[in-house]
C-alpha cells in the first residue's frame, strides 16, 4: 500500500468506478473492499455513513477507508423516501413514485450523498445535495448503470427530461 492508497468499502461496482474516476486525477489510488453493512434504520444519511464507517474500520483495521450512503428526498412527500431508496424501489418501484406525485405542483427532488472517510487518525463525514425534479412519467432507457430512479428524476441542466433520457455524451458532461 502506498501513502495515497484508499479503500472504498462497497459492493456496488458503479459507485466504485465513479469515485475512482473522480479521485484518479489527483493521484489517489482507490482500491475496493466488499462488506455487507448493517444500515440500520437511521433517517439521516450522515448517520448511516458514520455507522458504515465504524463498521468498516472494525472489519478492515489499519486501512484508510471511504464509505458512502445516498438518499433521495422529495419535499412534497415530506422527505420520503430519504435513505430508504431500496425499500421504495422494492415496494412499489419508480412507477409507483410517479403515482404518488400525481397532482403535486412541487416536483422538487434531492439526491443527497454522504461520504465517510477515515484518514488513519480521524473520521470525516461530508454531505452534498443535488437538486432536481420528478418527471410526470418514466422516460428513457439509459440508466448508465445507476438506479431506476433516473427514469423519473431530472436535472435542471436538462429541463423536462429524465436522466435516463441522456445520451452517453451528455452523461460524460453530467
Amino acid at each position: 500500500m502506498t501513502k495515497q492508497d484508499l479503500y472504498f468499502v462497497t459492493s456496488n461496482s458503479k459507485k466504485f468506478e465513479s469515485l475512482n474516476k473522480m479521485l484518479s486525477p489527483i493521484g489517489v489510488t482507490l482500491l475496493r473492499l466488499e462488506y455487507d453493512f448493517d444500515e440500520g434504520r437511521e433517517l439521516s444519511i450522515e448517520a448511516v455513513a458514520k455507522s458504515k464507517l465504524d463498521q468498516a474500520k472494525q472489519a478492515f483495521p489499519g486501512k484508510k477507508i471511504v464509505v458512502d450512503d445516498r438518499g433521495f428526498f422529495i419535499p412534497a412527500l415530506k422527505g420520503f423516501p430519504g435513505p430508504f431508496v431500496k425499500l421504495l424501489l422494492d415496494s412499489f418501484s419508480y412507477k409507483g413514485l410517479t403515482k404518488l406525485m400525481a397532482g403535486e405542483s412541487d416536483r422538487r427532488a434531492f439526491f443527497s450523498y454522504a461520504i465517510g472517510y477515515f484518514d488513519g487518525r480521524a473520521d470525516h463525514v461530508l454531505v452534498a445535495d443535488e437538486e432536481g425534479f420528478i418527471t410526470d412519467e418514466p422516460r428513457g432507457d439509459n440508466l448508465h448503470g445507476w438506479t431506476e430512479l433516473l427514469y423519473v428524476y431530472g436535472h435542471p441542466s436538462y429541463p423536462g427530461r429524465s436522466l435516463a433520457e441522456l445520451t452517453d455524451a451528455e452523461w460524460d458532461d453530467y
Side-chain angles (χ1 to χ4, degrees), residues 134-149:
I134 301 292
T135 61
D136 54 348
E137 64 183 5
R139 295 194 294 259
D141 61 6
N142 189 6
L143 293 180
H144 231 253
W146 291 101
T147 175
E148 292 177 337
L149 285 175

Side-chain angles (χ1 to χ4, degrees), residues 9-20:
V9 183
T10 183
S11 59
N12 185 318
S13 63
K14 276 297 189 186
K15 285 182 179 183
F16 175 78
E17 290 169 17
S18 178
L19 188 57
N20 194 35

Side-chain angles (χ1 to χ4, degrees), residues 30-61:
L30 192 64
L31 305 166
R32 183 172 157 201
L33 295 170
E34 290 198 33
Y35 183 76
D36 187 23
F37 290 106
D38 173 7
E39 296 190 27
R41 298 279 184 240
E42 296 288 342
L43 296 177
S44 156
I45 62 165
E46 186 173 2
V48 174
K50 176 67 176 123
S51 174
K52 284 182 170 182
L53 190 58
D54 290 342
Q55 292 173 61
K57 288 180 348 188
Q58 273 194 322
F60 306 105

Side-chain angles (χ1 to χ4, degrees), residues 72 74 76-77 80-81 88-89 92-107 133-139 148-154 162:
F72 190 63
I74 304 170
L77 301 178
F80 180 79
L88 165 86
L89 293 173
F92 56 96
S93 86
Y94 61 91
K95 293 175 186 174
L97 181 58
T98 58
K99 289 177 185 174
L100 283 176
M101 292 296 291
E104 289 290 344
S105 59
D106 182 357
R107 310 290 295 180
F133 57 89
I134 301 292
T135 61
D136 54 348
E137 64 183 5
R139 295 194 294 259
E148 292 177 337
L149 285 175
L150 301 188
Y151 289 128
V152 297
Y153 175 78
S162 77

